[in-house]
């Protein structure tokens, strides 16, 4: 191994440290079995092989492997002996247990991927090797601007779509176990209230729980309470703006059946212990973020104000 391969500091300012660059693997007749991974991994932590299906999921699976609360919960669920063929909760428990016991060896997520490939919703979302190529299905994953100044469409990456699907699926499977357990909801759950208002006084309110928060630029928020000048704002301002979003859309009112501008308001009522933030910015918005020093705040605190975090 070259001496600089395991360097954790960049050789030049602004460059990726050698230890985090992409490792070129030599796949032989039997895949990556003949590659000496341990020569590059000096830690006791196992990683997932990239020689398999849906390898884009590896980054998300690695991330949650090292979240103690999630790791302990999914591995603890193995005692329930749920042998349902497409249970991601069970397969994730077996996968993390294998990674823990392997102590630095490379593991494969083959059983997890087989279960993922068998779920129809995952296929429709384009998350599997045999997904539908119907672009009309994927169009549902595109988010547009909330006002005229931000009309650029935003497309979620495969990893973002998988993260959103995985957390929602795990929460759903926990509820379907019938044990009255809501551990994952307490860890990841954002309590969301949605309001729909029209000029004819038609009013709808929907309360639900979502496992992650989509973080958009404050310039895409129709609320007048946020300063749209984001040139020196950190991620905290983006999170706060995304917790209460307002947009107005020309639509037909369900009550009076007239064409009018309908107001939509989405409010997050809490911040869970583990924040799954789905940052969704355009290239222009990313360029603004990169110019802000310490945009990713190392720590912050939250307080409840008028029943709102």
């Amino acid at each position: 191994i070259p001496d600089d391969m395991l360097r954790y500091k960049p050789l030049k300012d602004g460059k990726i440290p050698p230890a985090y660059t992409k490792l070129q693997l030599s796949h032989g007749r039997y895949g990556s079995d003949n590659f000496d991974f341990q020569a590059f991994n000096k830690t006791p932590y196992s990683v997932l092989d990239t020689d398999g299906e849906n390898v884009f999921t590896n980054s998300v699976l690695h991330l949650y492997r090292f979240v103690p609360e999630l790791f302990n919960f999914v591995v603890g669920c193995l005692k329930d002996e749920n042998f349902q063929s497409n249970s991601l909760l069970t397969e994730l428990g077996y996968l993390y247990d294998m990674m823990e016991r392997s102590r630095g060896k490379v593991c494969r997520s083959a059983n997890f991927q087989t279960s993922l490939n068998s779920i129809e919703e995952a296929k429709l979302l384009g998350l599997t090797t045999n997904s539908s190529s119907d672009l009309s299905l994927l169009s549902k994953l595109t988010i547009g601007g909330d006002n005229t100044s931000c009309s650029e469409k935003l497309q979620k990456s495969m990893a973002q779509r998988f993260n959103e699907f995985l957390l929602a699926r795990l929460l759903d499977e926990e509820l379907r176990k019938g044990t009255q357990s809501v551990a994952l909801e307490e860890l990841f759950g954002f309590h969301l209230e949605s309001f729909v208002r029209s000029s004819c006084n038609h009013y709808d309110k929907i309360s639900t729980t979502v496992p992650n928060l989509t973080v958009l630029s404050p310039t895409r928020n129709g609320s007048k309470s946020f300063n749209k000048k984001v040139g020196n704002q950190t991620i905290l301002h983006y999170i706060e703006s995304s917790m209460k979003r307002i947009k107005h859309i020309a639509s037909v009112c369900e009550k009076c059946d007239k064409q009018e501008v309908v107001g939509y308001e989405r409010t997050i009522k809490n911040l869970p212990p583990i924040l799954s933030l789905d940052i969704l910015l355009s290239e222009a918005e990313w360029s603004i973020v990169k110019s802000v020093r310490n945009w990713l705040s190392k720590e912050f605190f939250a307080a409840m104000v008028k029943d709102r975090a």
Side-chain angles (χ1 to χ4, degrees):
I1 303 175
D3 293 337
D4 64 346
M5 278 295 296
L6 300 180
R7 286 176 58 94
Y8 292 92
K9 293 184 179 180
L11 300 176
K12 295 182 180 179
D13 290 341
K15 298 294 183 180
I16 299 175
Y20 298 102
T21 56
K22 183 177 180 181
L23 182 63
Q24 299 298 329
L25 303 183
S26 56
H27 295 284
R29 179 179 180 182
Y30 302 103
S32 57
D33 287 342
N34 59 343
F35 189 85
D36 185 12
F37 286 98
Q38 290 185 311
F40 294 87
N41 182 14
K42 301 299 184 180
T43 75
Y45 305 113
S46 294
V47 296
L48 297 175
D49 198 347
T50 58
D51 182 26
E53 296 181 314
N54 311 324
V55 294
F56 70 90
T57 65
N58 283 4
S59 58
V60 177
L61 296 176
H62 280 134
L63 172 66
Y64 290 129
R65 157 66 182 88
F66 295 103
V67 176
E69 296 86 352
L70 181 62
F71 173 84
N72 292 336
F73 176 80
V74 297
V75 173
C77 286
L78 296 179
K79 68 181 186 298
D80 299 329
E81 297 185 348
N82 177 17
F83 298 113
Q84 184 178 347
S85 61
N86 62 350
S87 172
L88 295 190
L89 183 59
T90 299
E91 292 300 340
L92 191 62
Y94 281 122
L95 177 61
Y96 284 169
D97 183 62
M98 176 175 62
M99 294 176 70
E100 172 70 11
R101 295 172 184 272
S102 296
R103 304 297 295 172
K105 295 181 180 179
V106 175
C107 301
R108 285 190 173 90
S109 60
N111 291 341
F112 179 89
Q113 300 302 340
T114 298
S115 294
L116 179 65
N117 288 337
S118 69
I119 299 174
E120 192 64 30
E121 183 183 355
K123 298 177 185 178
L124 295 178
L125 290 173
L127 299 177
T128 67
T129 54
N130 53 353
S131 295
S132 170
S133 60
D134 188 350
L135 295 179
S136 65
L137 296 173
L138 298 181
S139 66
K140 298 179 181 179
L141 307 172
T142 305
I143 297 179
D146 291 340
N147 52 44
T148 55
S149 64
C150 290
S151 58
E152 183 177 359
K153 300 293 184 181
L154 302 176
Q155 183 71 47
K156 290 189 177 184
S157 69
M158 293 283 283
Q160 287 175 306
R161 282 148 46 190
F162 172 66
N163 177 65
E164 184 176 12
F165 167 79
L166 176 65
L167 291 180
R169 178 79 182 192
L170 294 180
L171 264 68
D172 180 64
E173 287 192 21
E174 180 188 13
L175 291 177
R176 287 194 280 116
K177 285 171 59 180
T179 58
Q180 305 301 318
S181 173
V182 289
L184 290 181
E185 182 177 318
E186 292 177 350
L187 286 175
F188 290 95
F190 289 95
H191 302 310
L192 173 65
E193 285 189 354
S194 301
F195 301 89
V196 182
R197 296 182 176 90
S198 58
S199 58
C200 64
N201 296 324
H202 179 54
Y203 173 87
D204 278 335
K205 176 182 177 181
I206 302 173
S207 297
T208 186
T209 299
V210 294
N212 63 326
L213 173 65
T214 298
V215 178
L216 301 173
S217 170
T219 59
R220 295 179 180 268
N221 196 342
S223 173
K224 297 180 180 180
S225 61
F226 289 97
N227 181 7
K228 298 304 177 65
K229 296 180 180 180
V230 296
N232 62 347
Q233 302 289 351
T234 68
I235 190 176
L236 302 184
H237 189 75
Y238 286 64
I239 294 174
E240 184 181 8
S241 171
S242 299
M243 290 180 67
K244 184 173 183 178
R245 304 198 63 84
I246 297 175
K247 62 181 178 180
H248 299 87
I249 300 178
S251 180
V252 176
C253 177
E254 295 180 359
K255 183 177 181 180
C256 65
D257 200 29
K258 294 182 180 179
Q259 183 77 23
E260 62 176 357
V261 176
V262 179
Y264 294 85
E265 179 180 316
R266 292 163 51 90
T267 303
I268 296 293
K269 309 294 288 187
N270 73 308
L271 283 178
I274 301 176
L275 302 182
S276 175
L277 303 178
D278 191 3
I279 301 176
L280 197 58
L281 304 176
S282 67
E283 290 187 9
E285 291 163 352
W286 274 118
S287 64
I288 295 176
V289 163
K290 292 177 182 178
S291 68
V292 178
R293 184 176 178 83
N294 297 323
W295 185 77
L296 282 175
S297 302
K298 294 182 179 179
E299 60 182 7
F300 66 93
F301 68 91
M304 296 297 296
V305 180
K306 295 181 179 179
D307 192 33
R308 184 174 67 87

